[in-house]
Amino acid sequence: MVQYSKPRSFYDTFERKGEGQISTHYCPGCGHGNAHKLIAEAIDTLGIQDRVVFLSPVGCSVFAYYYFDTGNIQCAHGRAPSVGTGVRKTLDDAIVISYQGDGDLAGIGMASIVHAANRGENITVFFVNNAIYGMTGGQMAPTTLIDQKTQTTPLGRNLQRDGNPIGMCELMDSLETPVYIERVTFSSPAKIMKARKVVRKALQNQIDKKGFSFVEILSPCPVNWKMSPTDARRWVSESLEPIFPVKNFRDLDDVRGESAKLPLMEGNRLLDYLKPEKHISPEAPNETVVDQQVKIAGFGGQGVMSAGVLLSNCVIQKGLNTTWLPSYGPEMRGGTAYASVKVSTQPIGSPVVDFPNVLIAMNGPSLEAFEEKVPAGGLIMVNTSLISRKVQRKDVRTYYLPATELAKDVGLIATANIIVLSIYFLISEVVDLDTFRKVIPLSLKKKQLAEMNLQAVDKAEVYFSEHPLEQS
Ligand SMILES: Cc1ncc(C[n+]2csc(CCOP(=O)(O)OP(=O)(O)O)c2C)c(N)n1
Ligand code: SF4
């Protein structure tokens, strides 16, 4: 008896699409539905549902995360291979599926895919080539055929004006590192069944840590081709397949690229340097959840970025999780500069700090920009050397200090960042000053500079003992 059932890797109902929905948003006859099914079946067969991180692109499959009951990330247009690289580097056990259309992968994301392939990232890419920009209404894509009529080529793609369609498998095949490259077609049910094996193989390669696998799927888009689903399948066979030959380009047994290198993170000097055991024995993370979202804001040259890095380096020593995200204004000199730092006992999903529970305002524009963003109960530290006004909010804690003046007393105005950071540590108790004192010489290689920064810590400690938080 043949029993047809939905792959377990799909949700039972697609609640993100609407309550109780069981059908996808794809048009009748669209190849995306077939591609999804083959991938979901392979995930089931290989038993990797809990490990999969599915990268949805921009394009008609932008909502793939509605359907796949796996880890999901919706990526910026064309950037799935870069996102996948990030996932690969951080989650050793993840199975990364980059699912992309031809506009996404071969148009806006061309650089991202070529470099990921060239590095030989151990990820699997499914490239759905329907020779058109589907989602936006049928414009010419890099894979549009010569003479093919689209919204932007109403008289057909012109060789002289638009160049040739790009064969992505051929391009991938010019690189050393990919281990597996195959083009399949959805022109008939029998060919779809053939593709099933290829999809599984491309995922198996990743499980085996072989390296970069690339599967191109020639796929119908009846709506934008203005054809019936049956005619669209025929057009895949009669028009696409002669230009994009369906074949295996490469199937290597040896391990290549990123997978062939040392184990995860080994050999990366920066990451190695940041490992706590290199410097000081890490302490067990606090049992209570620490959740600090810090915005250090000022103008370029005030050391807000290095204050952010120092903060992150200090909390790493404490065995906590942290992210540091710099943000610069467009000006070459003297523009705004903001460092966003997150500190948590929990894994951190995003480095973006929209609502800082700690704002360190080093100059007036920073206070203007962020005062309203601090949640009630948060802390605002104000550098009174450069900010004359008071904080307007009544529902936050405030601490006023003349950071720039104190830094001048130390003899180096650039240590104002160290002074505010020291006092932030004293208030928050996230890091003790002894840890800070140990981290400073590790971060500042110039001995004299490190010494002045250490003096700034002493200066801040004395200042805080004379001006505790309550008195401000
Ligand atoms: C940065 C950016 N540029 C352009 C767009 C508009 N856009 C959305 S989908 C799309 C084309 C997607 O085509 P393709 O990758 O071939 O996928 P399909 O829809 O055919 O599956 C474009 C250009 C966008 N969303 N973001
Ligand atoms: S427009 Fe084309 S690619 Fe998009 S869902 Fe419809 S048939 Fe599929």
Side-chain angles (χ1 to χ4, degrees):
M1 186 180 76
V2 179
Q3 191 180 345
Y4 296 98
S5 59
K6 179 193 73 64
R8 286 186 310 282
S9 301
F10 284 144
Y11 290 111
D12 286 333
T13 53
F14 306 137
E15 298 303 314
R16 285 185 172 129
K17 188 167 180 255
E19 207 185 317
Q21 285 280 348
I22 52 164
S23 56
T24 67
H25 67 286
Y26 297 118
C27 311
C30 174
H32 279 303
N34 300 123
H36 281 23
K37 180 123 190 281
L38 294 190
I39 294 168
E41 283 174 351
I43 294 172
D44 285 2
T45 309
L46 297 169
I48 52 174
Q49 185 179 3
D50 289 346
R51 295 169 59 192
V52 165
V53 178
F54 192 102
L55 308 178
S56 311
V58 168
C60 279
S61 43
V62 66
F63 295 131
Y65 62 88
Y66 283 8
Y67 311 126
F68 283 90
D69 186 4
T70 58
N72 286 286
I73 301 178
Q74 209 291 309
C75 303
H77 210 358
R79 277 25 175 211
S82 308
V83 175
T85 300
V87 176
R88 173 75 296 132
K89 301 283 186 245
T90 45
L91 297 176
D92 198 22
D93 201 37
I95 300 296
V96 180
I97 297 179
S98 182
Y99 183 99
Q100 303 182 254
D102 43 326
D104 188 80
L105 181 141
I108 194 166
M110 181 61 109
S112 186
I113 187 68
V114 169
H115 290 291
N118 194 47
R119 290 191 300 273
E121 299 295 344
N122 184 36
I123 63 174
T124 305
V125 178
F126 295 110
F127 169 47
V128 180
N129 176 4
N130 57 20
I132 209 152
Y133 284 15
M135 184 196 201
T136 39
Q139 297 85 358
M140 182 182 74
T143 48
T144 296
L145 302 186
I146 298 296
D147 293 334
Q148 185 183 337
K149 291 190 173 64
T150 71
Q151 288 289 347
T152 45
T153 55
L155 302 177
R157 180 176 183 145
N158 178 289
L159 176 61
Q160 277 73 35
R161 187 189 55 212
D162 309 317
N164 266 312
I166 297 177
M168 282 308 300
C169 281
E170 288 78 358
L171 196 64
M172 292 288 112
D173 202 28
S174 70
L175 303 172
E176 276 288 313
T177 29
V179 288
Y180 187 64
I181 305 167
E182 181 141 359
R183 185 181 284 130
V184 298
T185 178
F186 281 178
S187 56
S188 71
K191 301 253 173 78
I192 295 174
M193 284 303 105
K194 270 190 157 173
R196 174 187 257 167
K197 257 188 18 213
V198 174
V199 167
R200 199 182 308 150
K201 164 91 178 142
L203 287 169
Q204 183 66 53
N205 285 346
Q206 190 179 159
I207 296 168
D208 297 342
K209 296 192 188 296
K210 278 185 152 184
F212 186 84
S213 295
F214 186 87
V215 177
E216 176 172 344
I217 300 168
L218 302 181
S219 171
C221 172
V223 166
N224 283 308
W225 296 351
K226 302 185 180 15
M227 294 176 192
S228 70
T230 318
D231 287 347
R233 300 269 164 189
R234 193 173 305 120
W235 196 78
V236 173
S237 159
E238 292 174 359
S239 301
L240 284 186
E241 289 176 17
I243 303 298
F244 300 114
V246 173
K247 63 173 191 170
N248 178 269
F249 289 76
R250 193 182 292 187
D251 182 6
L252 300 177
D253 270 336
D254 58 334
V255 171
R256 291 200 171 188
E258 187 249 3
S259 291
K261 290 184 203 144
L262 293 169
L264 198 73
M265 290 193 174
E266 293 268 328
N268 181 323
R269 278 179 45 230
L270 176 65
L271 292 169
D272 201 35
Y273 165 77
L274 289 174
K275 278 184 188 159
E277 65 270 19
K278 286 274 166 200
H279 315 302
I280 307 164
S281 338
E283 290 172 16
N286 217 325
E287 279 304 297
T288 52
V289 175
V290 175
D291 183 16
Q292 296 276 296
Q293 306 209 10
V294 185
K295 184 83 83 181
I296 310 172
F299 56 74
Q302 278 188 305
V304 298
M305 296 309 170
S306 44
V309 173
L310 279 167
L311 168 52
S312 282
N313 281 347
C314 285
V315 300
I316 287 170
Q317 304 296 342
K318 289 280 163 192
L320 294 163
N321 298 309
T322 183
T323 56
W324 167 77
L325 185 70
S327 167
Y328 299 92
E331 303 88 339
M332 282 291 278
R333 296 178 77 84
T336 49
Y338 312 134
S340 299
V341 179
K342 281 191 177 175
V343 178
S344 183
T345 47
Q346 306 299 308
I348 298 170
S350 157
V352 176
V353 173
D354 283 329
F355 302 101
N357 54 19
V358 179
L359 168 63
I360 300 178
M362 296 296 285
N363 67 351
S366 305
L367 186 59
E368 296 302 328
F370 298 114
E371 179 177 344
E372 288 306 316
K373 303 272 184 193
V374 178
L379 170 70
I380 300 182
M381 296 177 67
V382 177
N383 176 15
T384 55
S385 306
L386 298 181
I387 304 172
S388 49
R389 81 164 174 87
K390 293 278 177 197
V391 172
Q392 313 283 308
R393 300 269 302 275
K394 298 288 171 244
D395 58 349
V396 295
R397 293 176 301 154
T398 52
Y399 190 87
Y400 296 92
L401 77 161
T404 313
E405 299 304 321
L406 294 171
K408 274 187 201 156
D409 292 348
V410 172
L412 185 64
I413 202 164
T415 58
N417 60 348
I418 300 292
I419 289 179
V420 281
L421 199 52
S422 303
I423 293 187
Y424 161 66
F425 286 148
L426 288 166
I427 294 172
S428 68
E429 295 179 357
V430 170
V431 171
D432 55 274
L433 287 192
D434 282 346
T435 300
F436 193 23
R437 288 187 175 100
K438 284 176 192 161
V439 166
I440 285 174
L442 295 171
S443 305
L444 298 169
K445 293 292 173 210
K446 280 193 187 150
K447 201 161 172 256
Q448 199 192 352
L449 197 59
E451 268 164 20
M452 297 207 86
N453 279 272
L454 290 171
Q455 283 172 32
V457 179
D458 296 342
K459 182 89 186 165
E461 195 170 25
V462 172
Y463 183 85
F464 189 72
S465 69
E466 292 165 357
H467 305 82
L469 181 64
E470 302 74 41
Q471 289 175 17
S472 61

